Amino acid sequence: MLLTLLLAVEKAPDFTLKGIDGKTYTLSDFKGKVVLLDFWAVWCPPCRASIPFFESLHEKYRDSGLVVIGVSLDKRKDVLQRYIQRMGVQYVILWDRDGMVADLYNAYSLPTTLIIDHEGNVVMRRVGFTRSHALLYEKTIKRLLKERCKARGNVC
């Protein structure tokens, strides 16, 4: 008896949001990159705990093809902007005040973090933030960046 295992591939739905920097961002603009997409809010303690880690990933892997995108569900933009400035966040922060993109991604609990490969496939989705999440995120990102490098015909 031959068994065939089919794995469902979830394509990351495209969206467009304004960043707190005033620019408009579309997820598909980052196709070809590995994307860490994090739904969060300032009022969420585990979300705040994840920010320094995501900033460190941004600093460490951005030149290798990682894009970190934080999607804030905060209602007040001024509170969000003050927090981002105080924390020194350098990665892309988008404002999803009405929660439309969070709904598109079924991000009903915060934080919800997704990792998207260079072909636009969601390869990981986690809710919450712990040290074990951090270790898993970095391990997965390293693997995906290596796959991206090889797909581009480079020696990695």
Side-chain angles (χ1 to χ4, degrees):
M1 173 184 243
L2 178 62
L3 294 176
T4 304
L5 178 62
L6 297 176
L7 297 176
V9 176
E10 178 188 356
K11 284 288 186 188
D14 204 14
F15 64 86
T16 300
L17 283 174
K18 284 257 186 201
I20 61 166
D21 59 4
K23 297 178 186 174
T24 299
Y25 293 88
T26 299
L27 182 63
S28 58
D29 292 342
F30 301 107
K31 187 157 184 169
K33 305 273 188 177
V34 173
V35 176
L36 185 146
L37 184 63
D38 181 54
F39 292 90
W40 70 288
V42 170
W43 50 261
C44 164
C47 300
R48 291 192 310 267
S50 70
I51 298 287
F53 174 70
F54 292 149
E55 182 64 29
S56 73
L57 289 177
H58 167 73
E59 290 295 321
K60 191 172 183 180
Y61 298 110
R62 69 178 168 197
D63 292 337
S64 299
L66 175 67
V67 176
V68 177
I69 301 173
V71 179
S72 171
L73 293 152
D74 288 289
K75 299 297 181 200
R76 292 186 47 198
K77 191 174 182 181
D78 62 321
V79 171
L80 170 61
Q81 288 173 314
R82 277 196 309 272
Y83 181 78
I84 291 305
Q85 184 176 20
R86 187 179 54 167
M87 294 300 293
V89 175
Q90 297 299 308
Y91 59 84
V92 175
I93 299 292
L94 307 179
W95 190 36
D96 187 20
R97 186 185 68 161
D98 298 324
M100 300 293 282
V101 175
D103 286 347
L104 184 65
Y105 278 85
N106 298 316
Y108 301 119
S109 296
L110 298 180
T112 294
T113 305
L114 296 93
I115 298 179
I116 302 166
D117 70 12
H118 69 281
E119 295 178 338
N121 301 309
V122 175
V123 298
M124 180 178 293
R125 174 190 305 266
R126 294 288 183 272
V127 175
F129 183 76
T130 64
R131 178 151 170 73
S132 64
H133 283 100
L135 295 171
L136 183 60
Y137 293 156
E138 188 159 15
K139 181 180 178 181
T140 302
I141 286 165
K142 282 180 176 179
R143 178 179 56 81
L144 293 173
L145 289 173
K146 190 171 188 175
E147 289 173 11
R148 174 185 180 266
C149 179
K150 287 180 180 179
R152 298 175 69 165
N154 297 326
V155 177
C156 309

